[in-house]
Amino acid sequence: MSPTARKSFSHRRVRVTFGTLLATLILSLAVLSGSSAAVAATDCVADASTACFFGTIRDGAAGIDILVEGNGQKVTVKTTADGSWNAAVTVAGTYTITLDPKTLPSSVTMKGEAAQSRDVTLGARAGVLFSTQTTDASGEMTSSTTTTTSVTWDRFLQQAASGLRLGLLLALAAVGLSLIYGTTGLSNFAHAEQVTLGGLLAYVFANVMGLNIYIATIIVVAITAATGYFQDLILWKPLRKKGLSLNQMIIVTIGLALALQYTFQYFIGASTVRILQNNAEIVNFGPVTLTVQSLIAMGVSVVVLTLTGLFLLKTRTGRATRAVSDNPALAAASGIDVDRIIRLVWTIAAGLAGLSGVMLGLVLNGINWMTGMQLLLLLFAAVTLGGLGTAFGALVGSLIIGMTVELTNLILPGDFKYATALVLLILLLLVRPQGIFGRKERIG
Amino acid sequence: MDGITKILYDMSAIALSPATAAFAIAAIGLNVHFGYTGLLNMGQAGFMLIGAYGFAISVMNGLPFWLSVLVAIAASLVFALILGIPTLKLRGDYLAIVTISAAEIIRMVGRSSVLNALTGGSNGITGNSYRDPFNSLSPFPDGQTTILWFTYDNTGVNGWWIRIVGWSLVAIFATFVWLLMRSPWGRVLRGVREDEDAVRSLGKNVFSFKLQSLALGGFLGAMGGVLYILPASLQPDSMGRSMTFFIWTALLLGGAATIFGPVLGSILFFALRIAVQGLAGLFIPSSIMNSQQTEQFSWIMVGVALMLLVIFRPQGVLGNKKELSFNA
Amino acid sequence: MPDLSTNSRAQLAQVEAVPGSSKPDPILTVDNITRRFGGMTAVDVAHVEVQRGVITALIGPNGAGKTTFFNLITGFDKPSSAPKLFGGPSRALAAKWVFNGRNMGNVGASKVAQLGMVRTFQLTKALSKLSVLQNMLLGAKDQAGENFFVALIKPLWIAQEKANTDKALELLERFKLLEKKDDLAGSLSGGQKKLLEMARALMSDPVMIMLDEPMAGVNPALTQSLLGHIQALRDQGTTVLFVEHDMHMVRHISDWVIVMAEGQIVAEGPAETVMSNKAVIDAYLGAHHDTDLGDDSLLDEGVSQTPEKVTKDPKIDQETHS
C-alpha cells in the first residue's frame, strides 16, 4: 500500500472502518467454511422443547457409539469424522451418557469413566467429556493428562527438553506481546488469538489444501503479519487518535478475542485439527526423545528470535522501536515517526505470533479454537516475569515459564502445570513487581 | 410469525431465568470492582467457580446448607486476598493478568482428574448432589404454577422457587451496593477510581480500600456462582474465561457505575443474544449458516458488541457519560 | 494561637541565614536524603529544618528537585539513601526525617497525611468525576462512614457527614467556589482546581500543609485573597511549606526561604536576604537576573481592577519564570 493511500485510509472514521475489519476477519477465514460441513451432519438445536448433549472424543474418529439414556428416552448417536457428537432429548432431567468402548479405534483406549451422569434443562446444551488416550506410532502418550511417576534423571532431561521447546515457541509470541505493550502501553488480550489463527491457517494450507508445510508456513506468516498491519490500520490507530483510555482499549482487545474465538469455532468447529496427518519421525538424544518437527521448530524459533534481537539492536528502525518503547513522547520529539513504528510492531508481533501458532500446532499434535486462549496465561506470565515491555525480558521469561510448566509435570499431574506458572508469577510480583529486567517506575 | 413468537417467548423466559439472575449478581460484583473502584478484574468467573465449588463440595460432604454458603463466601474472600495482596499496589494491568490467570487455574485444577473424588474432574458435579438442601427450604407445595405464559414446577430442579430466590437476591444485593455507594466508604472508592495518589494524599489507605472492594465484588461473584449452579450442574468448563467476558459485556451494556446497570445489562445480554441466534436461525438459510453456527454467530456478535460498546457508548444504556468509569 | 505564630517568626530573626541552619522550633528535620533516577541525582539534601508555625518557601530553578523532595517527604517516593536491611548506607549516612517528633522513614503516603502533613500536587489531582463538594468531603479525616460496616447504616455517619459538609461549604465560600459545589470537579478551570485542591487539603486541619506551586494558573484576581488565606492559616498555627516560582508571592508572604539547585540546598534566609544572595542569583536566576523579578503593584491595591487573565497552564508559567 502506498503511503498516500495509507494516509487517506487512516483518516476515515472509526465507524466506517470497523465494519471493514470484521469483513476482513471473516473473509480471511471464509476459505475454511468448507470444512464446517462435517459439523452440520449431526446437529442438535437447543430450544424450549429440546435439550442437547454434545461432546468430542479427543482422539476420536468417526463411528464411536454414544448412548444417552434416562427419563424414558434412549438416543444412540455416532461420532462424526472429527470425533464430535450431538444428541437431542426432549425432557429435562438427569441422563446417563455411555460411550461404547468397543467402538473406539484400536489405538485409543478409555481413560476416564465410560458412563457418566448429566443434568440438562430444556433449551440448554450440556457438554459431556470422555477422557481417552492414544498410543501413536512414536510410542509417545498424547493423552491430555499425564500420570505421575517417580522423578528420574531421564524424565527430568526429557521434561527439560520439552520445557526448552515450549519456552522457545512461547517466546515467539511473547516478544510481540511485549513489544506492543512497550510501544503502546496496551495489554493485548487478543494476542493469543493471533497464535490460534496461525495454527488454523497452517491447517488449512498444509492439511486441507495440501501445500508443502514450509510454503504453507511462509504464507501463514505473511497473512498473520498482514492481519497485524490491518488491525493497527483499521482499529488501533483510529482508537488511539480517538483518545480511548488504555482500560477501554484492553476491553476492546477482549471483545476482539471473544469474537475471534467464536469465529474460529464457526469455521473450524470445536474439534482439534492436525496440521500434518502423518506421524512424525523421532530422534533420540540419550534419554531425550524429540520429534523431528520439534527440533525444526526449535531451530526456526532460535533463528527468528535471533533475527528479531539483531533487528532491535542493530538496525536504525529497531533502535527507534526501543526508543518509542522507552518514552514515546521523547521519541516523537526527536523526529521518530511513532505511528509508523507502532504499525511495524503490530505487523511483526502478529507475524511472530502466527509463526508460533504454526509450530505449536505441529509440536502439540494439533490445534483448536482455544489453543491460544490457553496459552495467553503463559504469555502474560512470561512477559510480566521478564518485565512488561522489555522484549529481551519476554524471551527470558518465556524460557523460565516453559521450563517451569514442563518440569512441574515431574512431580505434579499435568493439570497443575499452569498453576505453578501462576504461583511463580504471584511470588515474583510480591518481591520484584517490575519483573526481572523491568525498571522501577517513577512515582508521583 | 410463529418463529418470531417463539423467539419472543424464549427471550422472556431467559430474561426471567435463574442463570440471568446469577449473572446479574456477578455483574453487580464486577461493577463494584470496575465501575466504582476502577479495578480491572478479568477473572469474575473464577470467583463464581470458587464459590460454586465451595458450596457444592460442602453440601456433598454433609455440611448444612447455610454453613455451605459460608464456606463459599470464605473461599471467595481468601481468593480475593491471594489475588489482591500482590497486585493491588501495582499498575492496573497486573490485576487483570493475575485475575484472568487465576480464574483459569481454578478451572484447570478443578477439572483435574486427580481431584475426581472431590470436584468430579472435568465432568463436574451433578446438580442432584447438592441441590436438595436448597429445595427443601422451599415453602411451596408440590405441583406446577403458571404465571403469564410461564409454567414451571413450584420447586423442582429449575422452578419458581429458585427464580424467586434468585431475583430477590438480585434486589437485596443491588440495595446493599446502593447503601454502600452513597456512604463515605463508596466516596473513597470512587476517589480511588479517579486518582489513587490524590486519595492517598488525603490520608486514605488506598490499598485497604481496593482490597475491600475486591473482596466485596468477589463475594458477590461467589453468590452468583452458587445461584448459577443450583438449577443446573457444576460444569467447570462452562465457567471459564468466556463467562467473565460475558459478565463484562453485560455490565458495560447496562452501564458501569450505576446501580441498575448490571441488572438491566444481564437481562438485555441474554435476551438479545437469544434474539440474534433465533433471528439468524429463522432468516438465514441453513445452507449458509447451520443451527450450530447460528449459536456461534450470536457469540461472535457478543464480542463485536463489546468492542462497539466500549468504543462508541462506554457509559452503556443507563450510565452518565460524565461519570464514566473509564479514565480519560 | 496568633501568639505562637508571631513568636515563631520572631525566633526566626535570630537564625543564621546559611544552608542547613538549625531552627529554634523545627517541625520538620531532614537528614541525608538523596534520590537518584538512573545516573541522575534529583535530590541530595544533607540537612534542612523547617520552623514551626511560619510560612517557608522552597524555591529553585526547574529540575532543582523541589517536587521530588516533596514526594520523598510525604511518602510518595522512597529515598535512594533509605536504610536497608542489608547493604544499605551506614546508620549515620542513611536518610532520616522527623516530623512533629516522629520518625517518618517507611511511613506510607496515606499515613503521612493522617499524621498531619498534607500536600497538594503541582499537576492538580482534582477527582474530576466527583462533584466539588464530594471532593471536599473526601478530604475530611477520621470519618466513621469510611468503615465498610458502619457505611451500611446511615444514622451512624450522617451527623459527622453534616458537620463535614458545613465545614466544606465554609471553606468553599472562602475559596470562592461555593456556587460550583455541585459541578463535577473536572469542569473547573485549572486555577479553580488548584483552589479546590488546597481547600480539600484544609478539610483535615493539617498540622503542616505542603503546597506544590499553589499559584500556578490561578486567576490573578484571586491571588490576593489566596495569599490572605495562606497567611490566615499561619496565624491559626498551621505550618506552611510551599514550592513557588512566582517571586511576588514568595517575597510577599514567606517568612523564610529555602533555595534548591541541582538537588541541593544552596541558600536559606528571609526573602530579602536570599534574593540578594550571590549563590541564589547564580543558581536560580542564572542569565535572567537582570530581568524584572516582579511588579509588586499587582499585589497591592487595585487587584479587583486587574483584567481577568486566561488561566495558564502551570507548565508554561514555570518556563516564563525560569
Side-chain angles (χ1 to χ4, degrees):
Chain A
M1 184 175 281
S2 74
T4 38
R6 187 166 63 202
K7 200 166 196 178
S8 68
F9 207 60
S10 64
H11 281 194
R12 283 200 203 157
R13 298 287 305 277
V14 188
R15 218 176 286 261
V16 184
T17 50
F18 201 85
T20 332
L21 167 78
L22 201 72
T24 325
L25 289 176
I26 292 175
L27 259 180
S28 67
L29 276 163
V31 219
L32 312 180
S33 55
S35 65
S36 64
V39 183
T42 50
D43 242 359
C44 169
V45 191
D47 56 34
S49 59
T50 319
C52 301
F53 289 105
F54 69 97
T56 303
I57 312 299
R58 210 181 120 88
D59 308 294
I64 303 169
D65 279 341
I66 311 279
L67 173 69
V68 178
E69 200 172 9
N71 302 300
Q73 303 212 350
K74 192 169 176 179
V75 186
T76 312
V77 291
K78 278 190 187 299
T79 55
T80 56
D82 57 0
S84 70
W85 58 273
N86 273 283
V89 291
T90 52
V91 182
T94 309
Y95 289 82
T96 309
I97 302 98
T98 317
L99 183 150
D100 185 352
K102 286 187 294 252
T103 56
L104 284 171
S106 54
S107 62
V108 180
T109 49
M110 212 50 220
K111 198 157 141 287
E113 296 287 314
Q116 299 178 16
S117 159
R118 270 286 182 289
D119 287 344
V120 76
T121 50
L122 293 182
R125 292 167 56 80
V128 185
L129 281 160
F130 290 103
S131 192
T132 57
Q133 58 190 10
T134 326
T135 323
D136 65 21
S138 67
E140 276 179 308
M141 295 296 249
T142 57
S143 69
S144 46
T145 49
T146 320
T147 40
T148 323
T149 51
S150 62
V151 183
T152 62
W153 184 238
D154 287 1
R155 277 193 71 220
F156 176 82
L157 287 179
Q158 175 69 51
Q159 292 304 122
S162 306
L164 181 65
R165 180 181 71 184
L166 181 61
L168 283 172
L169 299 188
L170 280 180
L172 281 178
V175 166
L177 186 63
S178 186
L179 280 174
I180 292 176
Y181 181 87
T183 48
T184 64
L186 178 67
S187 301
N188 179 14
F189 282 79
H191 195 69
E193 272 54 55
Q194 294 289 339
V195 177
T196 316
L197 180 68
L200 291 179
L201 286 175
Y203 158 74
V204 173
F205 290 117
N207 191 335
V208 179
M209 292 166 66
L211 289 182
N212 173 292
I213 182 67
Y214 294 103
I215 296 171
T217 307
I218 292 167
I219 298 175
V220 168
V221 172
I223 293 179
T224 48
T227 60
Y229 181 93
F230 286 106
Q231 247 185 68
D232 187 53
L233 178 75
I234 300 167
L235 191 59
W236 306 117
K237 188 181 171 189
L239 291 187
R240 282 197 301 278
K241 297 284 171 257
K242 192 174 149 80
L244 252 70
S245 71
L246 279 178
N247 279 357
Q248 271 169 297
M249 299 263 259
I250 286 177
I251 296 170
V252 174
T253 67
I254 283 171
L256 180 63
L258 200 61
L260 285 174
Q261 281 166 19
Y262 283 100
T263 310
F264 296 147
Q265 241 191 78
Y266 186 101
F267 290 108
I268 305 274
S271 54
T272 301
V273 293
R274 294 189 63 169
I275 297 175
L276 291 179
Q277 286 297 26
N278 54 329
N279 285 310
E281 288 175 49
I282 54 164
V283 186
N284 287 308
F285 300 94
V288 178
T289 306
L290 285 173
T291 60
V292 177
Q293 288 173 354
S294 297
L295 283 177
I296 295 174
M298 288 161 78
V300 170
S301 179
V302 168
V303 170
V304 172
L305 287 169
T306 313
L307 289 177
T308 314
L310 287 177
F311 162 76
L312 286 175
L313 289 174
K314 301 287 177 192
T315 66
R316 214 182 138 73
T317 320
R319 280 196 296 267
T321 309
R322 288 190 297 141
V324 174
S325 235
D326 254 13
N327 186 339
L330 188 65
S334 48
I336 296 173
D337 183 349
V338 174
D339 277 327
R340 192 182 69 90
I341 295 291
I342 290 177
R343 177 74 43 84
L344 183 73
V345 162
W346 272 101
T347 313
I348 293 177
L352 288 178
L355 179 62
S356 167
V358 176
M359 298 200 297
L360 280 166
L362 287 170
V363 166
L364 300 179
N365 264 322
I367 193 144
N368 63 34
W369 65 280
M370 56 190 283
T371 305
M373 180 169 111
Q374 287 167 338
L375 288 175
L376 183 69
L377 186 170
L378 298 184
L379 289 178
F380 271 127
V383 169
T384 318
L385 204 62
L388 276 174
T390 56
F392 297 101
L395 172 62
V396 177
S398 301
L399 291 175
I400 295 176
I401 288 292
M403 284 288 182
T404 312
V405 164
E406 294 291 348
L407 289 179
T408 304
N409 259 358
L410 285 174
I411 38 171
L412 286 173
D415 306 292
F416 289 88
K417 59 186 184 184
Y418 296 126
T420 3
L422 180 82
V423 171
L424 192 71
L425 176 64
I426 288 184
L427 288 180
L428 184 94
L429 289 182
L430 280 172
V431 292
R432 196 178 160 84
Q434 70 270 38
I436 301 172
F437 294 98
R439 260 180 303 162
K440 236 178 182 162
E441 271 182 71
R442 187 174 170 161
I443 322 157
Chain B
M1 280 323 276
D2 205 27
I4 300 283
T5 322
K6 189 177 161 315
I7 292 173
L8 288 176
Y9 169 81
D10 285 350
M11 284 170 71
S12 61
I14 202 139
L16 189 72
S17 80
T20 307
F23 252 72
I25 293 173
I28 292 174
L30 186 64
N31 193 27
V32 172
H33 291 155
F34 175 71
Y36 290 111
T37 326
L39 301 176
L40 282 177
N41 170 17
M42 291 293 163
Q44 187 67 338
F47 282 100
M48 293 177 78
L49 187 57
I50 207 158
Y53 269 133
F55 172 77
I57 294 172
S58 302
V59 171
M60 284 162 66
N61 286 292
L63 290 190
F65 176 78
W66 291 110
L67 201 56
S68 304
V69 173
L70 280 182
V71 170
I73 294 172
S76 67
L77 295 184
V78 170
F79 192 52
L81 291 183
I82 294 175
L83 300 188
I85 288 171
T87 55
L88 288 178
K89 285 187 173 161
L90 309 174
R91 254 182 63 146
D93 324 40
Y94 286 97
L95 180 70
I97 291 168
V98 168
T99 46
I100 199 171
S101 310
E104 283 299 285
I105 302 287
I106 296 289
R107 189 175 65 84
M108 282 188 233
V109 170
R111 70 195 295 283
S112 159
S113 51
V114 182
L115 295 179
N116 240 330
L118 201 60
T119 62
S122 57
N123 296 328
I125 302 171
T126 55
N128 293 340
S129 20
Y130 54 76
R131 186 181 297 133
D132 293 340
F134 172 75
N135 279 350
S136 63
L137 292 176
S138 166
F140 302 135
D142 285 347
Q144 288 195 328
T145 307
T146 301
I147 299 174
L148 297 176
W149 49 89
F150 302 112
T151 303
Y152 297 111
D153 288 344
N154 286 343
T155 304
V157 171
N158 187 3
W160 285 110
W161 172 231
I162 181 79
R163 281 178 170 70
I164 289 165
V165 170
W167 287 103
S168 307
L169 283 177
V170 171
I172 290 168
F173 288 136
T175 316
F176 182 65
V177 169
W178 174 75
L179 283 174
L180 282 169
M181 290 311 157
R182 66 171 186 170
S183 76
W185 187 83
R187 185 164 61 216
V188 179
L189 288 199
R190 274 177 296 183
V192 170
R193 180 188 72 199
E194 298 299 312
D195 192 323
E196 282 183 27
D197 279 342
V199 175
R200 208 170 272 134
S201 77
L202 297 172
K204 320 290 176 201
N205 186 340
V206 169
F207 177 70
S208 158
F209 279 98
K210 281 164 124 183
L211 206 53
Q212 290 176 45
S213 162
L214 190 67
L216 171 62
F219 152 74
L220 291 170
M223 291 296 93
V226 172
L227 183 61
Y228 187 75
I229 58 160
L230 273 174
S233 58
L234 197 169
Q235 296 272 355
D237 289 339
S238 71
M239 297 170 85
R241 205 172 305 180
S242 302
M243 190 178 214
T244 300
F245 297 167
F246 300 156
I247 300 170
W248 270 96
T249 312
L251 173 64
L252 294 172
L253 184 63
T258 61
I259 294 295
F260 293 109
V263 181
L264 179 71
S266 301
I267 295 173
L268 283 178
F269 174 81
F270 280 104
L272 290 178
R273 199 194 69 77
I274 288 285
V276 169
Q277 187 181 344
L279 291 174
L282 268 186
F283 294 110
I284 302 178
S286 59
S287 55
I288 296 173
M289 198 187 279
N290 65 49
S291 51
Q292 193 167 356
Q293 285 178 321
T294 57
E295 187 182 342
Q296 281 148 3
F297 176 71
S298 70
W299 292 122
I300 296 173
M301 286 300 117
V302 169
V304 174
L306 180 58
M307 296 165 79
L308 293 176
L309 258 176
V310 175
I311 297 171
F312 296 112
R313 201 178 160 81
Q315 72 272 34
V317 176
L318 294 180
N320 174 355
K321 183 121 199 179
K322 280 188 188 151
E323 214 215 308
L324 197 55
S325 26
F326 293 104
N327 280 320
Chain C
M1 294 300 254
D3 289 338
L4 180 132
S5 161
T6 326
N7 193 22
S8 298
R9 275 186 285 163
Q11 284 176 348
L12 270 185
Q14 318 300 323
V15 174
E16 202 189 348
V18 293
S21 64
S22 67
K23 311 284 182 311
D25 182 16
I27 190 169
L28 177 71
T29 314
V30 179
D31 281 300
N32 301 320
I33 198 163
T34 57
R35 179 70 170 101
R36 281 181 289 275
F37 296 109
M40 189 195 75
T41 303
V43 168
D44 183 9
V45 172
H47 182 81
V48 72
E49 291 178 12
V50 176
Q51 168 80 346
R52 185 189 303 271
V54 302
I55 300 176
T56 306
L58 182 61
I59 64 171
N62 272 341
K66 305 179 298 288
T67 296
T68 310
F69 182 73
F70 258 40
N71 288 345
L72 291 167
I73 298 300
T74 52
F76 279 85
D77 197 356
K78 277 212 169 3
S80 315
S81 55
K84 291 187 183 93
L85 217 51
F86 304 105
S90 72
R91 214 139 202 261
L93 293 174
K96 179 171 188 261
W97 64 107
V98 176
F99 169 72
N100 222 0
R102 193 187 155 115
N103 193 338
M104 302 296 274
N106 268 329
V107 176
S110 58
K111 188 75 187 159
V112 168
Q114 282 169 23
L115 289 171
M117 179 157 50
V118 179
R119 70 170 295 182
T120 65
F121 294 87
Q122 182 184 355
L123 300 171
T124 48
K125 290 189 183 291
L127 305 165
S128 21
K129 286 155 205 159
L130 266 59
S131 75
V132 168
L133 183 59
Q134 296 269 302
N135 262 276
M136 292 295 288
L137 289 172
L138 205 51
K141 65 177 180 185
D142 300 328
Q143 297 190 48
E146 286 178 2
N147 176 294
F148 180 86
F149 297 102
V150 176
L152 283 169
I153 305 157
K154 198 172 179 180
L156 292 181
W157 48 263
I158 191 67
Q160 192 187 22
E161 184 85 348
K162 280 227 170 71
N164 285 338
T165 310
D166 292 343
K167 185 174 174 186
L169 294 176
E170 196 185 303
L171 276 167
L172 286 177
E173 166 111 69
R174 224 203 291 169
F175 283 83
K176 307 270 189 300
L177 286 169
L178 190 57
E179 65 276 25
K180 299 269 184 195
K181 70 181 169 72
D182 295 320
D183 293 9
L184 292 185
S187 68
L188 300 181
S189 73
Q192 286 171 323
K193 283 182 186 161
K194 281 266 171 201
L195 294 178
L196 172 61
E197 211 178 305
M198 198 188 303
R200 192 175 64 187
L202 293 179
M203 280 296 288
S204 64
D205 299 319
V207 180
M208 174 165 164
I209 185 163
M210 307 185 57
L211 306 169
D212 201 344
E213 299 197 17
M215 291 300 164
V218 175
N219 183 336
L222 269 174
T223 42
Q224 178 64 35
S225 65
L226 202 55
L227 294 183
H229 295 324
I230 295 178
Q231 277 169 325
L233 271 178
R234 173 196 59 195
D235 294 341
Q236 287 158 18
T238 310
T239 309
V240 181
L241 177 66
F242 72 103
V243 168
E244 189 51 70
H245 282 280
D246 186 333
M247 279 304 156
H248 326 289
M249 180 173 167
V250 171
R251 197 182 302 176
H252 201 78
I253 65 164
S254 49
D255 302 310
W256 193 259
V257 178
I258 299 174
V259 188
M260 278 183 87
E262 293 172 0
Q264 299 183 330
I265 308 248
V266 295
E268 267 192 61
E272 294 74 26
T273 325
V274 162
M275 299 281 176
S276 55
N277 184 316
K278 180 83 172 59
V280 177
I281 295 173
D282 284 352
Y284 178 60
L285 305 170
H288 302 286
H289 76 271
D290 48 2
T291 53
D292 177 25
L293 279 183
D295 177 4
D296 277 315
S297 64
L298 198 69
L299 292 171
D300 300 332
E301 300 313 304
V303 168
S304 51
Q305 280 115 42
T306 315
E308 276 211 10
K309 260 199 247 169
V310 181
T311 47
K312 273 190 284 181
D313 183 306
K315 282 219 158 138
I316 297 168
D317 237 16
Q318 272 177 32
E319 277 163 22
T320 53
H321 284 283
S322 58

